[in-house]
Amino acid sequence: MKCSGVMFQVLNTMIRRNCRMMTPAMLRNELERVLESSVRSIWGETIPDDFRAVVTGANDLQFGDLSCQAAMRLAGIVKDNPRSIAGKITEALDVSIEGISAVSIDGPGFLNFRLNEGYLTSTSFKLASGGLQLLLPDTGAGREALVEFVSSNPTGPLTVGHCRQAVLGETISSLLEVSGWKVSREYYFNDSGRQMALLGESLAVRYLSAEGGEAAIPDGGYHGSYIIEWAADLKAEYGTGLKWESDRDTFIRFAEEKAIKMIRSDLSLLGIEFDRYFSESELIPGAVMDAVEKLSAITVDGSSLVYQSDSGKLWVRFTALGRPEDRVMIRDDGTYTYRMPDIAYHLDKFSRNYDLMVDIFGADHLDTSRDVTAALECLLGKEDVREKLKVVIHQFVTLVKDGRKVKMSTRSGEFVTLRELINDVGSSDVTKYLFLTRRAEAHMDFDLDLARKQSSENPVYYVQYAHARIAGILRAAGEAGISSPHEFSSSIAELLEGEYERELMRLLESVPVNVTAAAEEMEPHRLTEILADLAAGFHRFYQHVRVVDTDNMDISAARLMLCKACRRCIRDLLGILGVNAPDRM
RNA sequence: GCGCCCGUAGCUCAGCUGGAUAGAGCAGCGGACUUCUAAUCCGCAGGCCACAGGUUCGAAUCCUGUCGGGCGUACCA
């Protein structure tokens, strides 16, 4: 490795006994701590209390493995130029940190660190033997989290938009789980509003008319062809004697049951299972009335948060909470608008004592979500709500089919279902992976034709192929009688000093901290980035380095260990995404 | 009108508290299979990071404005 720095200080390269316990996160924390104490020992009081020497991955191999910008950030504070500051910090670094072999000062004043081979090798060894979980910090520490997602009305099959949300929610849940959280997945469904009545009536129309009866479907009703099938099922089960209005509940309940069954089966295509389906009707009227009373008891700026208009409607004065408009919560016929049960539902969640609650919503729910949050903050306290409730808003998916954008609406029956999408793309793995290659807040054009066409050279196959290749190596090694070492020793490190080995180990070492960051930010798309990097690193390694070689058993064994680490890491990461890791392709 | 999100290579997108020559896949061009799976690797080409100001030693990243796209602005959920 070239080192362009003026200062080049070789630190202790010995592998200490307790090096085995060092995880990537611990190493970075330790390095930051030492840097900070070094800075404080030099400049003392001038350094603000909240100063932190943040260590990140260096963005180019030529600069080393880890990087710190502290010197540049301190320039304004201690009135000195960054390179000089960096030099002083380096001189004061009298504690050698295990895992770090060298520090250099480069460019405008970056402090760059090189990881030693012993540490890198032992990290790979830990991955190979214990998997990714072993190296991830237990940030959740067994605390309980609730993730609410999908939560679409039970009025029809899930669509492409729900698919994005389902994949997002499931992956965020899994990310929290590997970070040590105990996660419950919950689906909230509105089954008592106007939409259910419309659905029931739409079913009744299909049921009562011999052939279709499209025209009679009520305004705002549901036109999807799936309801024709439900009508046939309804006749088979109840005969032909049902009437709308008088058998209203039968129609609605039947439709709801069918819809929920449909949704569950759609979700199973993605391998998603919820711990609980929470029904809105459980909250009505008790919990909702409680919530109304609690809101009514609140006074802001001398007047009540809740007021009644002349027509008898009950409003919440959201403008007093910093929101743009007041909202009707109870209509003049005594029924609730959707915000009211939403508030009651969230109060219910809070009463269940979770340490973290994640809501995953589409962009169309943003406004409602803000109102609900504002109400919760004034009922439960800002601090508590802000700390425990996290809302992830994802933008819409525009489906492009035959070069044209497809407009979607569940009510009109014009939509592409999740099921059709997966069938069209040809694989749920590809579908999931593609949705996770973009960040949630980015709009997404999903080109069906492209997804189908590309499916043979899709990014997910690139990753899966790396896994299958490693599996092939392991098979070949087994046949040749080569097995990877059972215990870590520094002699293994000496066998893995090649450029490609080191590059792969460096990549593997960075995975745990990147996964933790993805979990903390709740940005699952970062996982696909990590996977792509890792797969590329392995494919490069594979191209240049021969693993199975009976003439060099020791090197073979060491490289085999590295392969195992890589396979385990890819498999564990794909596992978080809910994507298969095939042994053959 | 107002609020939120987005605007980076021909296309789809990454870009980690503001930092070291702006990255990847696809599409294009040229190379590499008698060796653990070529669904791979290596190379070339391709960008005033929408535009204009501002803050800073330093901006794709922060602030303001303009333009363009999406969503919301329901007593639908």
Side-chain angles (χ1 to χ4, degrees):
Chain A
M1 188 186 92
K2 280 180 287 183
C3 235
S4 55
V6 172
M7 272 271 186
F8 186 87
Q9 184 180 354
V10 176
L11 298 176
N12 186 2
T13 57
M14 296 294 290
I15 304 156
R16 307 249 180 105
R17 254 168 296 140
N18 59 352
C19 189
R20 282 157 188 260
M21 302 309 292
M22 180 73 98
T23 67
M26 287 162 61
L27 180 131
R28 285 157 180 76
N29 285 339
E30 177 66 5
L31 184 54
E32 288 177 358
R33 196 187 61 76
V34 169
L35 284 166
E36 281 160 27
S37 73
S38 168
V39 165
R40 289 185 201 286
S41 75
I42 303 168
W43 291 283
E45 301 287 298
T46 15
I47 306 300
D49 289 344
D50 60 353
F51 173 79
R52 297 215 48 211
V54 178
V55 170
T56 59
N59 53 10
D60 196 313
L61 267 173
Q62 64 168 316
F63 300 124
D65 303 311
L66 298 176
S67 187
C68 179
Q69 301 175 16
M72 282 133 74
R73 298 189 184 280
L74 286 169
I77 298 168
V78 303
K79 312 287 181 212
D80 196 355
N81 80 72
R83 288 193 67 100
S84 154
I85 294 170
K88 287 172 185 163
I89 296 175
T90 311
E91 277 169 42
L93 273 182
D94 57 355
V95 184
S96 59
I97 302 142
E98 56 191 74
I100 305 286
S101 65
V103 54
S104 64
I105 300 163
D106 304 289
F110 286 94
L111 280 162
N112 289 318
F113 305 91
R114 184 179 161 89
L115 297 169
N116 72 43
E117 279 64 30
Y119 163 73
L120 284 175
T121 310
S122 81
T123 303
S124 291
F125 189 85
K126 277 176 255 181
L127 269 175
S129 54
L132 182 57
Q133 190 77 66
L134 195 64
L135 296 180
L136 290 174
D138 185 19
T139 47
R143 286 179 291 169
E144 299 202 20
L146 181 75
V147 182
E148 184 210 333
F149 60 111
V150 186
S151 295
S152 86
N153 287 354
T155 58
L158 296 180
T159 66
V160 171
H162 300 127
C163 186
R164 180 177 202 186
Q165 179 162 147
V167 170
L168 256 176
E170 178 61 21
T171 310
I172 286 175
S173 301
S174 303
L175 258 175
L176 289 172
E177 278 171 341
V178 298
S179 306
W181 289 87
K182 198 171 168 298
V183 178
S184 301
R185 296 156 171 82
E186 193 157 297
Y187 186 121
Y188 172 73
F189 61 100
N190 301 91
D191 57 347
S192 61
R194 181 167 301 183
Q195 294 309 318
M196 294 313 297
L198 281 165
L199 181 72
E201 197 177 346
S202 302
L203 172 63
V205 169
R206 296 298 196 185
Y207 169 89
L208 292 166
S209 68
E211 305 291 331
E214 180 85 24
I217 288 176
D219 279 354
Y222 293 83
H223 295 259
S225 60
Y226 56 92
I227 295 181
I228 300 172
E229 288 164 33
W230 293 357
D233 292 344
L234 185 60
K235 277 178 194 163
E237 207 164 310
Y238 287 81
T240 52
L242 298 174
K243 297 275 176 278
W244 177 236
E245 290 304 340
S246 56
D247 294 305
R248 184 189 169 88
D249 283 352
T250 307
F251 283 109
I252 294 177
R253 265 209 321 278
F254 191 84
E256 182 183 333
E257 261 173 47
K258 282 284 183 189
I260 290 175
K261 209 177 251 179
M262 208 171 194
I263 288 167
R264 277 178 191 263
S265 115
D266 287 350
L267 288 167
S268 74
L269 293 175
L270 294 169
I272 295 172
E273 278 182 37
F274 281 89
D275 296 295
R276 182 172 182 186
Y277 286 80
F278 192 108
S279 157
E280 179 191 18
S281 54
E282 286 178 41
L283 300 166
I284 294 175
V288 176
M289 275 325 292
D290 282 355
V292 171
E293 272 172 38
K294 283 180 183 149
L295 283 171
S296 306
I298 288 176
T299 306
V300 183
D301 303 331
S303 46
S304 170
L305 191 62
V306 171
Y307 63 91
Q308 205 149 14
S309 60
D310 296 342
S311 50
K313 293 167 190 168
L314 197 74
W315 295 70
V316 166
R317 209 154 49 86
F318 277 109
T319 47
L321 304 176
R323 298 289 306 144
E325 286 176 74
D326 291 352
R327 302 288 181 187
V328 171
M329 303 307 261
I330 303 181
R331 303 185 189 95
D332 43 17
D333 66 358
T335 58
Y336 305 107
T337 62
Y338 57 90
R339 277 178 177 80
M340 203 53 239
D342 270 10
I343 292 169
Y345 173 50
H346 279 81
L347 286 174
D348 183 275
K349 285 190 198 176
F350 271 87
S351 76
R352 287 185 258 156
N353 286 320
Y354 293 105
D355 298 293
L356 175 69
M357 285 154 278
V358 184
D359 285 351
I360 297 172
F361 294 134
D364 56 339
H365 279 61
L366 178 70
D367 220 50
T368 308
S369 172
R370 292 267 170 93
D371 284 344
V372 170
T373 304
L376 291 172
E377 281 179 0
C378 90
L379 287 170
L380 302 168
K382 267 187 189 170
E383 296 285 308
D384 205 34
V385 173
R386 288 190 181 165
E387 189 192 315
K388 291 179 179 166
L389 180 65
K390 306 286 177 199
V391 180
V392 175
I393 300 283
H394 69 88
Q395 297 299 316
F396 278 26
V397 179
T398 311
L399 200 70
V400 181
K401 203 173 184 178
D402 304 322
R404 281 206 316 257
K405 293 194 174 180
V406 185
K407 264 284 172 200
M408 283 188 279
S409 147
T410 307
R411 283 176 222 174
S412 69
E414 288 170 35
F415 52 81
V416 176
T417 64
L418 179 153
R419 186 175 293 269
E420 287 164 346
L421 177 72
I422 291 172
N423 287 339
D424 249 10
V425 170
S427 139
S428 69
D429 281 349
V430 173
T431 310
K432 284 185 219 176
Y433 198 90
L434 284 178
F435 274 113
L436 289 168
T437 54
R438 283 104 167 138
R439 32 195 232 298
E441 63 268 28
H443 294 276
M444 185 170 176
D445 280 344
F446 197 104
D447 190 326
L448 253 184
D449 310 308
L450 204 65
R452 222 177 302 139
K453 200 179 76 183
Q454 281 184 358
S455 63
S456 61
E457 38 203 55
N458 202 279
V460 69
Y461 290 127
Y462 182 80
V463 175
Q464 289 181 318
Y465 183 53
H467 185 270
R469 269 184 150 178
I470 302 172
I473 293 176
L474 298 185
R475 284 192 296 270
E479 284 161 21
I482 301 166
S483 60
S484 63
H486 293 290
E487 286 215 11
F488 173 76
S489 73
S490 54
S491 60
I492 302 173
E494 288 163 21
L495 298 168
L496 296 172
E497 285 182 338
E499 176 193 351
Y500 298 102
E501 284 91 333
R502 191 179 197 286
E503 192 185 322
L504 190 52
M505 288 194 288
R506 189 185 108 115
L507 269 171
L508 287 167
E509 194 270 346
S510 70
V511 169
V513 290
N514 288 334
V515 169
T516 301
E520 272 167 12
E521 302 297 322
M522 290 194 263
E523 291 187 343
H525 76 277
R526 293 197 194 181
L527 294 175
T528 58
E529 297 280 317
I530 298 169
L531 275 165
D533 284 350
L534 202 52
F538 176 76
H539 285 310
R540 250 170 77 76
F541 167 84
Y542 182 93
Q543 205 73 25
H544 295 94
V545 176
R546 174 81 196 177
V547 176
V548 178
D549 179 2
T550 47
D551 294 335
N552 293 291
M553 297 295 271
D554 286 351
I555 292 183
S556 266
R559 288 176 176 166
L560 195 61
M561 182 280 285
L562 191 48
C563 287
K564 276 190 174 173
C566 197
R567 178 168 105 118
R568 187 67 194 263
C569 198
I570 291 176
R571 194 171 57 190
D572 290 349
L573 286 168
L574 285 175
I576 300 173
L577 304 185
V579 172
N580 289 302
D583 283 339
R584 293 174 199 272
M585 284 175 79

